[in-house]
Structures are given as C-alpha cells and as structure tokens.
Amino acid sequence: EPEVTQTPSHQVTQMGQEVILRCVPISNHLYFYWYRQILGQKVEFLVSFYNNEISEKSEIFDDQFSVERPDGSNFTLKIRSTKLEDSAMYFCASSGQGALNEQFFGPGTRLTVL
Amino acid sequence: GENVEQHPSTLSVQEGDSAVIKCTYSDSASNYFPWYKQELGKRPQLIIDIRSNVGEKKDQRIAVTLNKTAKHFSLHITETQPEDSAVYFCAAIDHTGNQFYFGTGTSLTVIP
C-alpha cells in the first residue's frame, strides 16, 4: 500500500539556521498539507497546497515558513530562521480528493532546535 | 475559525468494556469529521470519518455519531482490546474545505 514518506526522521539544528523538511506524497495525490505537533500536544494545521499554490495557511505559518513542490514528487517545508519554539514533530499529509476525504500522514520529522 | 474541543483527555477502561470520546465544534458550516488514532511515536491514522449528511457510521467495533444541531460528535469503541490503547484525535474541517482543526486528543488505555 502506498505511503507518504518524510526525510529526515530527526533533524537537529541551531537556532537561526534554515531547515528544509522533505516529503514524498502518495504519487497520484493532488492535495498536500503540513502539520506540526509539539510534544504531548495536539496536531496543528500549518498549510494546505494544491495546484502549485497555497490554498490555506494558519496563523502559525508566518513569513519564516514556505512550502514548495520543486518537482513532481517532493513537497518541502522550509523554515528560514529557526526558533526554539519551532521544535516539534512535523507531519506531511496528502489526499487524493481534497480535504473532505482521508488525509494520509507521513511518519513525521522530529525537529529539535538548540 | 473553527474551535474543536475534545474530552476526556485521558480514559482508562477494562478490556471488553466500551469507550466513548466526545468532541464539540463551533463552525456550523463544518461538514467533515474524521477521527485519527495515534500510537506512541507514530503517525496519525484515520480510523473512521463522518460527513454532515449522516448521523451515524459504524465500522466493526468503531462507530461515530454526529449531532449537527448540537455541534458535537462522538467516537464509540466497543469490546475494547489492549491494542486500542493510543491517543485519539477528533478533527473538523472548516467551511473553506482547506483546513483541519484537531481536538486536543484523548489518551485511551485499555487495561487487560
């Protein structure tokens, strides 16, 4: 069964550094999402992406964040200048038919900002 | 925006008993309500979902009920098993159809 994959599984970075989190959605899916989950807390929506543009973004997704689909398979989340409070698990998800249908989550990237 | 509240935050049941988790939402235009199960250190996985045009949906031991008037929906797990132990999140999709709002999660422990 196809799955969403994410790399790396764990990223450690220094405060102020840029990080890029990578995701490979399920191949025939068209809708892509990023979420974050601070340890022990709920999953929080960051951004949705469709047709090569952002569909919606939350208040968390400020100017320090950007997303890109650089080719036909990857979907990336970039944090330009990381802060301590960016430490969290970041999940990518994809859906074949939009948000009103099942979203398949990747295994997550644990980001630790020191 | 949408506000999803979930309770209880923790729930312990004896194996074989039923578990019920409840969520409320604020946006009356929300029309899709999935439930996710997240085992420790793993990704959330959809276990059941319901759309606003139905009041109840069942899949083996799992059922979800939706009361649109009261703006609440519930997850029911019957004949619980130890492998049901996990954190369960409810979610609601807002009227734009682009955002998911998750509840705060319920940590379910099934005691053998």
Side-chain angles (χ1 to χ4, degrees):
Chain A
E1 186 173 341
E3 286 189 333
V4 177
T5 59
Q6 288 183 245
T7 54
S9 57
H10 191 190
Q11 173 91 48
V12 181
T13 189
Q14 294 289 329
M15 187 171 57
Q17 294 296 305
E18 174 184 286
V19 295
I20 298 176
L21 310 183
R22 302 180 190 280
C23 169
V24 179
I26 294 172
S27 63
N28 60 347
H29 283 185
L30 300 175
Y31 300 82
F32 314 115
Y33 311 86
W34 282 102
Y35 296 88
R36 80 171 186 191
Q37 185 178 32
I38 297 171
L39 187 64
Q41 298 185 23
K42 67 178 176 181
V43 177
E44 298 175 291
F45 169 80
L46 293 178
V47 66
S48 58
F49 191 89
Y50 169 71
N51 199 27
N52 285 320
E53 61 183 22
I54 291 173
S55 307
E56 193 67 58
K57 59 184 180 180
S58 72
E59 294 176 352
I60 303 168
F61 194 90
D62 61 22
D63 292 345
Q64 293 301 310
F65 290 87
S66 63
V67 290
E68 192 178 31
R69 187 152 165 82
D71 53 43
S73 61
N74 290 284
F75 180 50
T76 62
L77 174 69
K78 180 192 291 186
I79 308 174
R80 289 190 183 80
S81 178
T82 50
K83 303 186 287 286
L84 295 177
E85 52 265 38
D86 293 328
S87 295
M89 181 73 88
Y90 288 81
F91 290 104
C92 170
S94 70
S95 170
Q97 301 176 51
L100 295 182
N101 293 275
E102 180 176 3
Q103 293 188 11
F104 293 82
F105 281 73
T109 293
R110 178 162 297 286
L111 176 64
T112 301
V113 182
L114 302 176
Chain B
E2 175 73 274
N3 181 38
V4 178
E5 295 189 356
Q6 181 174 349
H7 57 93
S9 57
T10 60
L11 179 61
S12 292
V13 299
Q14 292 290 331
E15 182 177 359
D17 287 350
S18 295
V20 180
I21 302 170
K22 299 182 180 182
C23 286
T24 61
Y25 62 98
S26 60
D27 186 351
S28 57
S30 292
N31 55 5
Y32 176 59
F33 308 92
W35 284 90
Y36 284 84
K37 176 183 180 182
Q38 186 177 28
E39 297 176 8
L40 189 63
K42 296 192 175 180
R43 73 188 80 188
Q45 292 195 301
L46 182 76
I47 54 171
I48 196 166
D49 56 12
I50 192 167
R51 301 179 192 284
S52 58
N53 57 342
V54 299
E56 184 174 358
K57 183 177 177 181
K58 191 173 181 180
D59 183 3
Q60 299 182 344
R61 296 186 297 109
I62 296 173
V64 56
T65 59
L66 172 65
N67 183 327
K68 282 197 67 181
T69 303
K71 289 188 281 187
H72 68 71
F73 56 112
S74 301
L75 177 72
H76 304 253
I77 306 174
T78 59
E79 301 171 28
T80 52
Q81 301 167 2
E83 51 265 38
D84 293 331
S85 296
V87 178
Y88 291 81
F89 291 96
C90 64
I93 179 106
D94 78 336
H95 67 280
T96 68
N98 285 319
Q99 285 205 33
F100 265 44
Y101 293 90
F102 281 79
T104 49
T106 296
S107 178
L108 173 65
T109 302
V110 180
I111 303 167

